[in-house]
Amino acid sequence: MLFDEPTTYMDIEHQLKFLEQIKKLKTQDKTIIMVMHDLNHAFCYSDEILLIDNRTIKKSGTPTAMLESGAVEDTFNIKLHMHESGAGSHLVITA
């Protein structure tokens, strides 16, 4: 299944419901490819991330590997780290 910015124009409740449905599809051996610019959603819902900059693949890997590589930080000139809590994990982005 291919999705291009599927959560655009959705309110946050519907974004999360949609992404939870995607997680369920993955458990049914479905291949899901999504284009998304929301880094928090990409890191929290993806098994693998492909970082593309100026039509060039810069890096690919698991969310953890991508976070550790610094490639996303270098590309977007930001700082990232995962925050773990009782409610789950989320990406913290700072300039």
Side-chain angles (χ1 to χ4, degrees), residues 60-73:
S60 66
T62 65
T64 300
M66 293 295 286
L67 191 62
E68 292 171 352
S69 76
V72 176
E73 292 176 310

Side-chain angles (χ1 to χ4, degrees), residues 4-79:
D4 185 8
E5 295 288 347
T7 57
T8 301
Y9 306 116
M10 288 184 187
D11 61 45
I12 190 67
E13 177 186 9
H14 290 99
Q15 288 178 25
L16 297 175
K17 285 181 178 179
F18 175 84
L19 292 167
E20 288 301 318
Q21 290 299 315
I22 294 297
K23 278 173 84 173
K24 287 180 184 177
L25 288 171
K26 290 185 342 182
T27 66
Q28 299 169 11
D29 291 329
K30 304 289 184 201
T31 299
I32 310 290
I33 299 171
M34 285 195 293
V35 175
M36 45 183 19
H37 289 90
D38 185 314
L39 295 177
N40 194 41
H41 288 165
F43 273 82
C44 292
Y45 287 92
S46 300
D47 296 326
E48 181 139 348
I49 294 173
L50 185 67
L51 178 63
I52 300 173
D53 185 30
N54 292 321
R55 296 178 292 220
T56 302
I57 298 172
K58 283 188 85 171
K59 186 108 177 125
S60 66
T62 65
T64 300
M66 293 295 286
L67 191 62
E68 292 171 352
S69 76
V72 176
E73 292 176 310
D74 293 343
T75 299
F76 295 111
N77 197 28
I78 57 174
K79 298 289 181 202

Side-chain angles (χ1 to χ4, degrees), residues 83-95:
H83 176 74
E84 303 292 333
S85 70
S89 60
H90 64 275
L91 192 65
V92 177
I93 304 169
T94 57

